[in-house]
Amino acid sequence: MHVRLLGTAAGGGFPQWNCACPYCSKTRSEPNTAKPRTQSSVAVSADGENWFLLNASPDITRQIEAFPKLHPHPARHTPIQGVLITNADLDHTLGLFLLREHSPMVLYTTPTTRQTLTEGLGLERILSPYTQLLWRLLPHTPQPLSLVNKSPSGLLIQAIHLPGNPPRYWHKVSKVSVGHTVGLSLTDVQTGGRLLYLPDLPYWPGSLTAECAHCDLLLVDGTFWDEQEMIALGFSTRTATQIGHLPISGPRGSLSRLMELQTRYKVYVHINNTNPILIPRSKQRQLVESAGCLVGEDGMEFIL
C-alpha cells in the first residue's frame, strides 16, 4: 500500500492566515524555522494508480497539484476513486466542493456523517447540479474497498468507532448521538500492511491499544501539545479535550500511549498551528522523536 500525507495541519493550516501566535509569526519572519503545512488529508493506493482520499481538506487542489500521481491523464480524468470521510468537520469536507467538476464522486461515510453533510452542510443540494454523488457505507468489519466501477482496489476498509461530537454548524437541526467520528483502517490484501488513521481523538478508548498494536502505520491526532494550550494563548476558553482532541503531553496524553506500542511507524498529523512540535528544535519535538514517533510533514510517503 502506498500512503502519501497530502496535508498534516489542523484547520487553518500552518501558518494560519489570521494567527500571529509565536510559531506562525516565527515561520513567517524566518521561513527556514519550520515547514508550512496544509490542512490534514491523506492519499492511499494499492497499485500506485488508483487512489483514495482520506478526507478532503479545503487545500485539496493544492495538494493534488503537489503530487503528480493524482494528476489527470488523459484530459478530464482523475485517478481518485473515492473519498473516505472520518467526520463532517469543515476542514475534512470543504474540499468536496472543489472536486465538483468530476462525476461521479464516490463518498464513503457513516450514516450519521452523511446526514450531517446533507442536512447541515447542504452537500447534496449544492453539488447535485455539478456531479453525481454515490454514497457508500463505511463498514465496521474489514470489507473490500471497491473502485468506482465496483472492481477490487486491493484494499480492505474498516471504520473504527470513536467518540466525537458533531461539527458546530450542526446546531440548527436534530442531532444524533453516535457515528459522528470514526477512525479508518486500511489493509493491503497482498502484503497485509495496515494503516490506521485517527485524525480526531478526544480520548483514548480502552479498545484502541489493541487496534494500534496490529497496524504498521499509525497516523494519529497531534492537534495540541498541552491540555491548556488554547486557554494559555487566550484563543479559547476550552481545553484540548473539550475541543475534541486528546493532547500529546501529560500522563494520560497520547505520547504516553504511543511509547508503549511497537508499531513500525507512529506519526502525528492534524497538528494545530499553536503546537510547538511544529518547530524542529523545540524540546517538545525532541520528546516526540525520542519516543520513537514522527511529526508528520506534507509530502511524507510510506510503503506498507
Side-chain angles (χ1 to χ4, degrees):
M1 174 165 36
H2 306 257
V3 181
R4 165 89 172 199
L5 306 189
L6 299 176
T8 51
F14 177 69
Q16 184 170 306
W17 66 276
N18 68 334
C19 185
C21 74
Y23 310 123
C24 289
S25 297
K26 192 173 184 62
T27 301
R28 291 188 183 102
S29 61
E30 302 176 36
N32 293 326
T33 300
K35 293 183 178 180
R37 287 163 167 79
T38 57
Q39 295 168 87
S40 182
S41 185
V42 178
V44 297
S45 172
D47 57 13
E49 296 182 3
N50 298 292
W51 292 82
F52 292 87
L53 302 181
L54 312 186
N55 293 331
S57 87
D59 300 316
I60 190 62
T61 55
R62 288 173 56 194
Q63 294 165 347
I64 290 171
E65 289 305 310
F67 187 36
K69 290 184 179 179
L70 295 184
H71 291 179
H73 181 77
R76 293 296 182 178
H77 163 268
T78 179
I80 297 171
Q81 296 291 313
V83 185
L84 286 62
I85 301 173
T86 61
N87 64 24
D89 285 356
L90 293 179
D91 57 327
H92 292 163
T93 56
L94 284 181
L96 297 173
F97 294 97
L98 304 178
L99 300 177
R100 65 188 180 277
E101 288 87 0
H102 187 73
S103 187
M105 183 189 299
V106 183
L107 305 180
Y108 290 81
T109 70
T110 66
T112 301
T113 294
R114 176 177 178 175
Q115 180 186 8
T116 306
L117 291 173
T118 300
E119 297 181 19
L121 201 59
L123 190 74
E124 285 188 331
R125 175 178 56 82
I126 294 172
L127 288 186
S128 59
Y130 303 93
T131 186
Q132 178 189 10
L133 293 180
L134 298 180
W135 298 91
R136 295 180 182 174
L137 184 66
L138 283 170
H140 286 277
T141 58
Q143 299 293 331
L145 181 62
S146 300
L147 304 180
V148 174
N149 62 11
K150 301 274 184 86
S151 62
S153 69
L155 298 172
L156 301 178
I157 177 63
Q158 178 186 6
I160 307 297
H161 175 71
L162 295 173
N165 296 321
R168 281 187 282 176
Y169 64 76
W170 185 234
H171 69 285
K172 291 185 179 179
V173 293
S174 173
K175 296 182 182 179
V176 292
S177 58
V178 296
H180 282 290
T181 298
V182 294
L184 297 173
S185 169
L186 291 108
T187 303
D188 188 289
V189 174
Q190 285 194 326
T191 68
R194 183 177 182 231
L195 159 69
L196 189 58
Y197 183 49
L198 308 170
D200 292 277
L201 192 61
Y203 65 87
W204 193 280
S207 59
L208 192 56
T209 299
E211 292 286 355
C212 294
H214 293 95
C215 72
D216 300 284
L217 170 59
L218 173 61
L219 302 178
V220 66
D221 187 344
T223 308
F224 300 117
W225 172 258
D226 183 79
E227 178 73 356
Q228 303 292 324
E229 189 169 310
M230 296 294 279
I231 296 174
L233 289 167
F235 293 165
S236 177
T237 59
R238 297 185 295 164
T239 65
T241 304
Q242 288 170 340
I243 293 173
H245 300 281
L246 178 69
I248 295 172
S249 67
R252 297 184 180 179
S254 61
L255 189 60
S256 66
R257 302 281 190 166
L258 267 56
M259 291 174 67
E260 301 172 355
L261 299 174
Q262 300 302 311
T263 306
R264 184 180 178 189
Y265 301 111
K266 298 173 284 188
V267 187
Y268 279 111
V269 296
H270 199 272
I271 306 165
N272 201 55
N273 60 288
T274 56
N275 193 328
I277 67 170
L278 291 167
I279 308 301
R281 295 184 180 180
S282 67
K283 64 178 181 179
Q284 293 87 350
R285 176 73 160 263
Q286 293 172 8
L287 286 171
V288 166
E289 293 176 345
S290 65
C293 303
L294 298 173
V295 175
E297 297 179 358
D298 293 19
M300 271 186 175
E301 295 187 24
F302 304 87
I303 303 293
L304 308 178

